[in-house]
Amino acid sequence: DVKVTQSSRYLVKRTGEKVFLECVQDMDHENMFWYRQDPGLGLRLIYFSYDVKMKEKGDIPEGYSVSREKKERFSLILESASTNQTSMYLCASSLRGHFMYEQYFGPGTRLTVT
Amino acid sequence: KNQVEQSPQSLIILEGKNCTLQCNYTVSPFSNLRWYKQDTGRGPVSLTIMTFSENTKSNGRYTATLDADTKQSSLHITASQLSDSASYICVVSAHGSGNTGKLIFGQGTTLQVKP
């Protein structure tokens, strides 16, 4: 079974803090993704990576950066957290050619910025 | 513009009853269509994935259909159980140039099954 794990289920941070969200997958997938999910807006792609040290902007990259130093690990960084980044963050992974293959999601991190 | 629209937005049914969720899309060029189930506070879990040539696909009590001509899909749940209470998300994959592509997510249908 594919397993995608995220470092925290719940996180509370203050405005202006630097926040790191970690994601690890154990299936040797090439592609990894970060989404945020908000009521009424569905899932929106922040960034994705198709290989180590490679990254591509998604639909809403502003205010975020990512890091992929190892194939199994993909980190989302909020350089200076703001209240409008309060959201559910979901990590996913898939084989290369993600639009053809299944995406496997982690359990999510609910981030609250106060 | 690539879009995926789901209906209804929410639905309440009694345990044991059947229900059908709808997904209409305007995505081109089409690659595949997926249905995910998302329990509250959890990540989405795949139910089915269908390509252009597939009309129907089942996963236990879940049956998805695809009409590529009318660009419609439905997810039918048979003999509902309390554990079916969740959000159901329709996702359509668009083929890009080369080996690229994009996923377009619907906003989901929230299903509540009552005893």
Side-chain angles (χ1 to χ4, degrees):
Chain A
D1 266 1
V2 176
K3 195 159 185 182
V4 180
T5 57
Q6 296 183 227
S7 51
S8 306
R9 292 299 310 279
Y10 301 94
L11 210 52
V12 179
K13 295 292 181 180
R14 294 191 182 275
T15 302
E17 275 192 88
K18 191 168 186 176
V19 182
F20 292 87
L21 302 183
E22 298 275 318
C23 175
V24 177
Q25 51 95 4
D26 67 357
M27 281 303 290
D28 203 35
H29 283 169
E30 292 88 356
N31 296 325
M32 296 188 75
F33 309 83
W34 275 107
Y35 294 91
R36 65 177 283 177
Q37 185 177 31
D38 301 289
L41 295 177
L43 273 83
R44 294 179 291 168
L45 181 65
I46 304 171
Y47 267 98
F48 70 98
S49 168
Y50 53 88
D51 206 344
V52 174
K53 296 193 186 296
M54 305 303 287
K55 62 184 179 184
E56 291 281 345
K57 292 180 180 179
D59 299 319
I60 51 165
E62 296 79 17
Y64 303 95
S65 62
V66 290
S67 171
R68 193 163 180 204
E69 296 297 318
K70 293 185 177 182
K71 190 175 185 180
E72 68 272 17
R73 192 179 296 269
F74 193 35
S75 302
L76 180 69
I77 303 150
L78 286 65
E79 296 289 343
S80 177
S82 63
T83 55
N84 63 12
Q85 292 178 309
T86 291
S87 185
M88 169 73 112
Y89 289 88
L90 290 161
C91 175
S93 74
S94 78
L95 291 168
R96 192 177 298 283
H98 68 281
F99 64 96
M100 291 189 289
Y101 297 110
E102 195 63 72
Q103 279 201 10
Y104 297 88
F105 286 85
T109 295
R110 185 162 293 282
L111 172 67
T112 302
V113 182
T114 61
Chain B
K1 183 183 175 185
N2 287 328
Q3 267 187 313
V4 175
E5 294 185 357
Q6 294 186 242
S7 62
Q9 197 170 12
S10 61
L11 185 60
I12 301 173
I13 62 172
L14 292 176
E15 188 179 11
K17 298 295 185 184
N18 303 335
C19 69
T20 300
L21 313 181
Q22 300 290 344
C23 174
N24 297 338
Y25 62 93
T26 53
V27 174
S28 182
F30 176 89
S31 180
N32 59 61
L33 185 145
R34 310 152 188 222
W35 283 94
Y36 283 89
K37 178 188 179 190
Q38 185 176 21
D39 293 320
T40 302
R42 298 284 179 177
V45 174
S46 176
L47 294 175
T48 64
I49 180 168
M50 291 185 289
T51 59
F52 185 87
S53 58
E54 295 173 295
N55 301 114
T56 185
K57 204 157 205 179
S58 291
N59 179 356
R61 294 179 296 104
Y62 300 100
T63 299
T65 63
L66 174 64
D67 185 334
D69 291 330
T70 62
K71 300 189 177 182
Q72 295 180 325
S73 176
S74 64
L75 180 69
H76 187 75
I77 304 174
T78 304
S80 62
Q81 300 177 358
L82 297 178
S83 59
D84 293 330
S85 296
S87 286
Y88 293 85
I89 304 171
C90 176
V91 185
V92 181
S93 171
H95 209 303
S97 58
N99 195 29
T100 64
K102 187 180 173 71
L103 298 184
I104 297 97
F105 288 81
Q107 292 191 11
T109 293
T110 301
L111 173 66
Q112 187 177 357
V113 181
K114 289 194 166 182

